[in-house]
Structures are given as C-alpha cells and as structure tokens.
C-alpha cells in the first residue's frame, strides 16, 4: 500500500455510493488526480472541510488499482471570500472547470498549479472578477502551449488590427478584416485587442486598475469562450484517437 503526499486544489467533488465522494484534484506535484474520499459526506467527518470545491489542501493519498484514496487531508485555505458571494463562487467554479477540461491526469505543471491557486485567491477580492478570469484564461492556454496570436493577423501578418479584427478559434488568434471568413469568428474592436494583449503580458495583480468598456469585456468573453471550447474539443478528439489506437493495438 503505497502512500504519497501532495498539495492540491479540489477542482470537483462528485457523490459516490454511501457517504463517499470522488474528488478531482489538481496537485502541484503530480498534476490532475482522481481520488476517492471515504465517508466525507457524513456530518461528523473530519476531512469534510478539506475536500470542498476550490479548497487548497494537503493530501496523503494511497495508491489504488483503479482510483487512489484519500488517507489524510488538511485544509490550508478554503477561500472564504468565494463562499460568501454567489458570483465569485460561479467564477471559481468556472476556473476549476477549465483547468479540469484542458488538462489530463498525471501530467504535472507547477506553473498551472500556481496560476490556479493565485487566481482563486484574487477572485476573493477582485473588483472586476471577469477581467481576472480573462487574464487567467489567456495565461492558462499559453502555459499549455496554445498562446493565442494577438500581435498581427495570423493569416497575412497585417499589424493594423484597429479599429476592428476578428478572433478565430480555429486559427488560434486574430484575423484582419480582409482575411476574416465569417463563420465561428468573434468581432473585436481595437480596445478589445489592446486589453487582451495587456492581460496576456501584464502583472495579474494590476488587473483591477484597468478600465474596460462593457462591449470589450463582452467581446473578450465570447472570443475566449470560443477558443476554450475549440481547445477542449481538440483535446477530446486526440484523447479519442489515442484510445482507439490503444484498442487496435491490444486486439492486434
Ligand atoms: Zn489578414
């Protein structure tokens, strides 16, 4: 029975049989892990606090044949500011869902862990939480190797994207007006392009000082939404491909 310790953020917690829950953790040491926490739905469970969604906890896990199990855990930070406010809780759930959707089990990435933890902390007090989340999305996709191209038109290299460009998820960045094809593209004003560039390169602690129009915030939300959806689908397509190759090989 092999035990190992990790510090992790709880991305998701699903009810199993009895009082057990299956946790999806994002750990600093081992990346994403699925683990069973026995008895944590009982009101008397001492582990209860440390396995709540968004909680940053220390875990001692026992390796299992299918799923690992939680042997011990202790909460480090439960981010109380997220639990007192439904909007902030919604943003935290969204951030957790994106990390879950774009990562695979057992591929550690310390920078992703630090970004996730830092973002949950900032969401407790951020005065413009949607911009904090946009900055998180841009940095997350960059850390995973999908930094969007925002400096010029992906297709022709045209740098004058003001006053208007489009964001194309399938092209991984911006297209100028003449290269835009129309389908699945999100129009972006010059302001939107400028703010996205800033968020990609800027210190996240300074995001609260930005003044951004509602229109630009809306355009960024749509552009990043399209991009994340496209990346998630691409990831599940390649997972599916790997699975079918594996099946082919085992039946060979
Ligand atoms: Zn172009």
């Amino acid at each position: 029975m092999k035990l190992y310790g990790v510090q992790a953020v709880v991305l998701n917690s699903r009810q199993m049989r009895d009082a057990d829950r299956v946790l999806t953790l994002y750990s600093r040491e081992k990346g994403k892990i699925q683990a069973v926490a026995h008895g944590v739905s009982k009101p008397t469970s001492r582990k209860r606090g440390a396995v709540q969604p968004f909680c940053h906890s220390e875990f001692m896990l026992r390796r299992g044949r299918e799923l690992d199990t939680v042997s011990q855990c202790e909460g480090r930070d439960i981010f109380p500011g997220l639990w007192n406010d439904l909007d902030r809780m919604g943003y935290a759930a969204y951030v957790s869902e994106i990390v879950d959707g774009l990562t695979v089990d057992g591929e550690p990435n310390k920078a992703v862990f630090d970004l996730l933890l830092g973002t949950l902390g900032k969401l407790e007090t951020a005065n413009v939480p949607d911009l904090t989340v946009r900055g998180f999305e841009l940095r997350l996709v960059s850390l995973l190797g999908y930094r969007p191209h925002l400096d010029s038109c992906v297709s022709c290299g045209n740098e004058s994207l003001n006053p208007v460009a489009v964001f194309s998820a399938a092209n991984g960045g911006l297209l100028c007006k003449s290269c835009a094809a129309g389908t699945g593209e999100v129009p972006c004003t010059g302001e939107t392009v400028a703010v996205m560039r800033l968020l990609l390169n800027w210190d996240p602690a300074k995001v609260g000082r930005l003044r951004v129009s509602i229109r630009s915030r809306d355009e960024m939300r749509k552009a990043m939404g399209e991009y994340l959806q496209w990346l998630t689908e691409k990831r599940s397509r390649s997972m599916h491909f790997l699975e079918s190759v594996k099946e082919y090989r085992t039946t060979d």
Side-chain angles (χ1 to χ4, degrees):
M1 294 280 184
K2 207 171 169 208
L3 284 171
Y4 64 99
V6 291
Q7 58 158 315
V9 170
V10 181
L11 296 179
N12 192 2
S13 161
R14 299 181 306 281
Q15 184 78 44
M16 247 178 116
R17 58 185 182 277
D18 305 326
D20 302 349
R21 299 190 81 88
V22 179
L23 310 178
T24 304
L25 308 174
Y26 196 85
S27 70
R28 188 160 206 275
E29 298 82 355
K30 295 186 179 294
K32 197 162 76 172
I33 302 169
Q34 316 288 331
V36 180
H38 290 291
V40 288
S41 297
K42 289 182 194 150
T44 51
S45 170
R46 275 187 291 163
K47 292 176 192 158
R48 207 177 149 94
V51 301
Q52 292 186 85
F54 333 129
C55 193
H56 173 211
S57 305
E58 300 276 356
F59 287 89
M60 192 56 81
L61 300 170
R62 191 184 302 277
R63 221 179 285 286
R65 248 189 311 167
E66 302 221 332
L67 287 175
D68 295 355
T69 52
V70 177
S71 173
Q72 291 172 47
C73 57
E74 196 174 331
R76 271 196 181 188
D77 196 346
I78 64 156
F79 301 109
L82 300 175
W83 292 89
N84 299 331
D85 182 315
L86 264 184
D87 285 341
R88 292 182 195 279
M89 199 191 274
Y91 282 119
Y94 174 74
V95 159
S96 305
E97 195 185 306
I98 298 175
V99 172
D100 192 8
L102 289 182
T103 57
V104 288
D105 289 6
E107 277 186 11
N109 187 327
K110 287 193 172 72
V112 168
F113 176 82
D114 292 342
L115 174 67
L116 169 65
L117 195 60
T119 303
L120 291 173
K122 279 178 199 85
L123 282 173
E124 283 194 287
T125 54
N127 56 355
V128 272
D130 63 320
L131 290 184
T132 300
V133 170
R134 294 295 91 77
F136 162 82
E137 290 169 331
L138 283 161
R139 272 185 296 277
L140 177 70
V141 296
S142 303
L143 289 173
L144 295 173
Y146 302 105
R147 185 187 170 100
H149 187 89
L150 303 174
D151 298 329
S152 57
C153 170
V154 185
S155 179
C156 72
N158 184 357
E159 284 177 15
S160 68
L161 296 167
N162 208 352
V164 74
V166 299
F167 186 88
S168 162
N171 284 285
L174 295 168
L175 291 174
C176 72
K177 221 176 159 183
S178 35
C179 293
T183 48
E185 292 167 353
V186 180
C188 293
T189 60
E191 180 194 1
T192 304
V193 172
V195 176
M196 283 174 88
R197 285 177 186 164
L198 266 175
L199 287 175
L200 195 56
N201 299 307
W202 214 20
D203 176 359
K206 293 177 185 163
V207 168
R209 292 188 211 158
L210 281 174
R211 293 287 165 268
V212 184
S213 70
I214 290 181
R215 178 178 174 175
S216 277
R217 286 155 72 167
D218 203 38
E219 286 177 352
M220 278 189 282
R221 182 178 53 77
K222 286 182 187 150
M224 288 312 293
E226 289 282 334
Y227 193 42
L228 290 167
Q229 196 187 337
W230 190 83
L231 290 175
T232 310
E233 280 166 14
K234 179 178 150 141
R235 203 209 65 144
S236 67
R237 275 197 304 274
S238 59
M239 291 289 283
H240 185 72
F241 174 75
L242 285 176
E243 286 300 313
S244 57
V245 170
K246 234 194 275 175
E247 253 170 56
Y248 176 76
R249 281 186 144 181
T250 49
T251 54
D252 195 19

